[in-house]
Amino acid sequence: EINDGSCGTSLQCICEAAATEGFDDSKKSGGTGSSFQLTGTLVESTADGQDVELKVTQSKLLGAVYGGDPKFETVGGMLYPMSKKGHTLEHMREQAHLRPRAGLHAAAMRVRHAMAYATHRFFHDHGFLYIHTPIITCADCEGAGEQFGVTTLLGTDHTKPGIELPLHKAEEPKEEKKLSKSELKRLKKKAAKGKQVESIKPEEVKVPGAVDYSEDFFGRRGNLTVSGQLNVETHACALSDVYTFGPTFRAENSHTSRHLSEFWMIEPEIAFADLEDDINLAEDYLKYCVQYALEMCAEDLEFFENSPYGEAGLRDRLRNVLDNPFKRLTYTEAIEILEKAYADGVEFEVKPEWGIDLPSEHERYLCEKVFKKPVVLTNYPKGIKAFYMKLDDDGKTVSAADILVPKIGEIIGGSQREHRKDVLIERCIESGLDPKHVWWYIDLRRYGTVPHAGFGLGFERLILFVTGLDNIRDVIPFPRWGGNAEF
């Protein structure tokens, strides 16, 4: 059997010693994993499970498998890491450079491609512009502080000992010079004439003994981005409907099946829009991706449905997403449902109460047990949401919305953005963020602000949702997590 990866089905090829040129050389291939160039005639197959087969007239061995001995000098499959037998997902992650040859990972990558294409097609057809936001930034969109630093201060030779970092030195006290009466009078007169404009940009704080990033590549500390949202908002305020789709990074040392240190985010931003517009767009987009997967990835979805690592009834679950409008309710209403369930004996690891950031078990209970379909929760407590989300009239909640889906929990998080400058500055301060660190973001409210909204979707979670796989490390080519950055 041969397979070129374009689909999950392999083609059976019939090679005969008397009828196939190159037969003897091809037998010395090493078996599974070897590569061939085959020429022949496509004929109707008499075997079960296939319509056609290739009757080979010429076989050319392109690449043999050298796994026959510990030195990998002999042709053979004995030590080939992806031999034709069942492998655990953990084993395939350890062989990430070879796991695309496994049927499960190949199917996941085909679905991943289809979802990326569907994403671009959906937003293009709806008039959005694709904006490339920076990967290196000096802003922390989520305010979490869990960012990877980018520096050249360590040099290019990682084996060089004794690296000395530039540090801020303690400033020596300056002698105060006593001014004459005429000098004081002149300075007072000068200050009265000129209007002092307070700087909106942050001033460098020089802490003695701390790293002096002014000598670094960017002249200040740079980080890998945790989100492209703040940057893409700059274009929404000029070009209306825009989106970004790119890699993001979080230095969160989490080892759950839902977290990665490097992942991709889809973040649309719509101008002249409120929270309801945002929710409508998110629901339409998610349904579009599900419909596209059912139509264009039918063979791979069937494979996942029958795989021991997949999900029985996968396609029925996906069709349920299409057949029903998403249930919409407020965070407060959801807490009331969860509190009642808890009181009635439903076991949760975390006790539900107003003000908590809902864990996955609560989210999944709502969409899997209570409503049995995707759920949209709105108006979250301001204390558990980001500074840029629009403050509601009650002063306690923000115009945020999370979409929860069966199997995953939260798949989309969005909000109407706070477009009122004074309120945004207050929210920055409440969240422990110096407004001067996002001066350019506040500028958008200073110069011709408009109501706008947007959301973010973790692309890998979308692939988990569509494929029925359980671990996010199995839906990205080279997963990164704490302690692992191989390949």
Side-chain angles (χ1 to χ4, degrees):
E1 290 186 348
I2 62 168
N3 190 299
D4 65 356
S6 59
C7 66
T9 304
S10 297
L11 177 65
Q12 182 166 290
C13 303
I14 308 300
C15 298
E16 299 173 330
T20 304
E21 181 184 340
F23 179 83
D24 290 335
D25 289 338
S26 297
K27 283 183 66 178
K28 303 171 185 176
S29 66
T32 302
S34 52
S35 303
F36 294 89
Q37 178 181 316
L38 303 178
T39 305
T41 305
L42 206 60
V43 298
E44 186 176 350
S45 178
T46 57
D48 293 333
Q50 59 185 27
D51 296 325
V52 295
E53 60 190 25
L54 184 67
K55 190 173 182 180
V56 181
T57 56
Q58 184 181 51
S59 176
K60 182 179 180 181
L61 176 62
L62 300 178
V65 170
Y66 288 86
D69 68 283
K71 292 185 178 181
F72 300 100
E73 296 175 347
T74 306
V75 172
M78 182 177 65
L79 298 177
Y80 177 53
M82 299 299 293
S83 58
K84 194 173 183 179
K85 67 173 184 177
H87 294 289
T88 66
L89 296 178
E90 185 61 38
H91 172 80
M92 287 193 281
R93 291 178 206 132
E94 292 171 356
Q95 304 293 333
H97 61 308
L98 297 175
R99 73 172 176 169
R101 306 179 185 199
L104 185 135
H105 189 73
M109 292 303 99
R110 285 190 291 269
V111 173
R112 185 182 175 99
H113 163 77
M115 292 299 92
Y117 178 77
T119 294
H120 287 301
R121 183 174 172 180
F122 174 85
F123 287 114
H124 175 79
D125 290 349
H126 284 76
F128 282 68
L129 294 182
Y130 178 29
I131 305 299
H132 297 131
T133 52
I135 290 176
I136 298 175
T137 178
C138 295
D140 182 355
C141 176
E142 300 294 336
E146 296 167 338
Q147 292 180 284
F148 289 102
V150 176
T151 181
T152 58
L153 293 177
L154 300 177
T156 56
D157 183 0
H158 68 279
T159 62
K160 183 179 179 181
I163 297 291
E164 293 186 7
L165 298 176
L167 305 177
H168 286 298
K169 298 177 181 178
E171 292 185 1
E172 296 182 5
K174 297 179 181 177
E175 275 188 42
E176 288 190 14
K177 184 180 178 183
K178 195 170 182 180
L179 300 176
S180 64
K181 288 185 179 180
S182 59
E183 185 68 12
L184 287 170
K185 188 176 180 181
R186 186 185 69 80
L187 291 174
K188 188 176 181 181
K189 191 175 181 181
K190 183 179 179 182
K193 283 184 178 180
K195 293 183 179 179
Q196 296 292 322
V197 179
E198 184 181 355
S199 173
I200 61 173
K201 297 183 180 181
E203 296 178 4
E204 183 184 7
V205 178
K206 298 180 180 180
V207 179
V211 176
D212 181 4
Y213 285 102
S214 66
E215 296 188 30
D216 205 352
F217 187 87
F218 296 105
R220 57 188 297 193
R221 180 185 166 92
N223 304 295
L224 295 180
T225 184
V226 299
S227 170
Q229 179 209 313
L230 300 190
N231 292 101
V232 85
E233 276 190 55
T234 64
H235 285 62
C237 292
L239 304 173
S240 291
D241 297 342
V242 297
Y243 74 105
T244 185
F245 182 1
T248 54
F249 309 84
R250 299 196 184 182
E252 181 181 350
N253 195 15
S254 174
H255 292 264
T256 74
S257 62
R258 295 179 40 174
H259 289 90
L260 290 168
S261 297
E262 178 185 11
F263 54 98
W264 287 64
M265 286 286 289
I266 297 157
E267 298 172 292
E269 203 72 27
I270 43 178
F272 313 104
D274 58 18
L275 185 61
E276 185 176 0
D277 297 320
D278 197 36
I279 295 171
N280 292 339
L281 177 69
E283 182 171 343
D284 289 346
Y285 164 68
L286 196 55
K287 287 187 171 182
Y288 182 90
C289 288
V290 169
Q291 180 72 52
Y292 192 88
L294 286 168
E295 291 179 359
M296 306 305 294
C297 305
E299 181 184 4
D300 287 323
L301 295 188
E302 182 180 2
F303 169 82
F304 286 119
E305 202 166 66
N306 296 317
S307 168
Y309 297 115
E311 177 188 354
L314 168 64
R315 286 172 291 179
D316 287 338
R317 174 171 63 76
L318 294 178
R319 292 188 190 101
N320 182 56
V321 173
L322 300 179
D323 295 341
N324 297 285
F326 293 3
K327 175 64 180 178
R328 303 184 184 189
L329 67 159
T330 66
Y331 168 92
T332 301
E333 291 169 334
I335 288 293
E336 291 171 356
I337 293 172
L338 292 167
E339 286 178 331
K340 184 179 184 305
Y342 187 76
D344 290 342
V346 176
E347 294 184 2
F348 293 124
E349 291 184 10
V350 178
K351 181 182 178 181
E353 57 185 19
W354 200 93
I356 67 168
D357 193 0
L358 295 181
S360 177
E361 60 172 344
H362 293 166
E363 296 171 340
R364 294 185 62 177
Y365 178 81
L366 290 168
C367 53
E368 293 176 8
K369 303 298 184 182
V370 179
F371 299 107
K372 296 179 173 59
K373 62 180 180 179
V375 173
V376 184
L377 296 189
T378 63
N379 308 99
Y380 281 76
K382 66 177 182 179
I384 60 173
K385 288 297 182 180
F387 71 93
Y388 51 74
M389 297 186 178
K390 183 177 181 293
L391 187 66
D392 292 331
D393 293 340
D394 63 8
K396 297 179 181 179
T397 60
V398 289
S399 296
D402 286 354
I403 294 183
L404 320 177
V405 294
K407 190 174 177 65
I408 304 297
E410 179 198 342
I411 194 170
I412 288 177
S415 72
Q416 183 174 343
R417 313 311 188 192
E418 184 55 78
H419 65 279
R420 299 164 294 184
K421 179 175 70 70
D422 294 342
V423 179
L424 179 61
I425 291 174
E426 288 177 10
R427 288 286 293 129
C428 285
I429 296 170
E430 282 181 9
S431 303
L433 174 66
D434 184 348
K436 288 186 176 183
H437 288 155
V438 286
W439 63 269
W440 54 272
Y441 186 69
I442 294 173
D443 262 4
L444 301 177
R445 280 72 177 166
R446 183 176 282 114
Y447 305 124
T449 186
V450 297
H452 58 287
F455 65 80
L457 172 139
F459 188 53
E460 283 71 28
R461 290 195 182 182
L462 174 63
I463 311 306
L464 281 181
F465 180 64
V466 170
T467 61
L469 293 172
D470 289 323
N471 198 309
I472 202 166
R473 298 173 185 178
D474 299 319
V475 295
I476 190 170
F478 296 98
R480 306 293 192 228
W481 66 87
N484 180 79
E486 193 66 77
F487 310 103

